[in-house]
Amino acid sequence: QVQLVESGGGLVQAGGSLRLSCTASGSNFRLMTMGWYRLAPGKQRDLVAEITRGGSTVYTNSVKGRFTISRDNAKNTVYLQMNSLKPEDTAVYYCNALSSTIVGGRAWGQGTQVTVSS
């Protein structure tokens, strides 16, 4: 089963930047659609950004123009560059992998906390 390990979360002031990384185990990373979700207190876990194996990207409206998702297939890693952070971006961010090569079709990372202070 694929393992996803996230890093890069932390505490930042509003207007600052962070880059999240998620590294996947195994040899099928290039076949996976990779995404970042977030879970804020009192809310459901929502998609933030997604990148297909072909490099197409999707963003939720609230992060368009501020966040960029990218992938490096040679490193089995997906990134989320977050700029102009706002307090409402505070959440636990989860890496997600979608692929028919994964048992159950989907895998999740353990999550990384992002806190944006005002």
Side-chain angles (χ1 to χ4, degrees):
Q1 179 65 311
V2 65
Q3 304 276 344
L4 303 175
V5 179
E6 300 125 333
S7 61
L11 173 64
V12 65
Q13 289 188 330
S17 297
L18 284 173
R19 188 176 80 156
L20 305 183
S21 300
C22 170
T23 300
S25 63
S27 60
N28 294 317
F29 178 81
R30 62 181 177 81
L31 302 178
M32 300 175 186
T33 291
M34 300 301 297
W36 288 97
Y37 287 71
R38 65 187 178 187
L39 178 61
K43 297 186 177 182
Q44 63 183 17
R45 185 161 55 183
D46 288 327
L47 177 68
V48 176
E50 187 174 82
I51 184 166
T52 68
R53 63 183 191 178
S56 298
T57 58
V58 173
Y59 297 92
T60 191
N61 285 340
S62 62
V63 308
K64 285 180 181 178
R66 300 189 297 124
F67 290 12
T68 302
I69 189 170
S70 61
R71 64 191 298 159
D72 185 337
N73 289 341
K75 296 182 178 180
N76 278 18
T77 300
V78 61
Y79 304 98
L80 185 67
Q81 178 67 44
M82 305 185 293
N83 299 328
S84 302
L85 282 160
K86 304 175 181 181
E88 52 263 42
D89 295 316
T90 294
V92 179
Y93 284 70
Y94 295 89
C95 180
N96 175 260
L98 287 173
S99 176
S100 59
T101 64
I102 300 173
V103 175
R106 179 189 290 266
W108 292 96
Q110 81 283 0
T112 185
Q113 177 71 47
V114 171
T115 302
V116 185
S117 64
S118 57

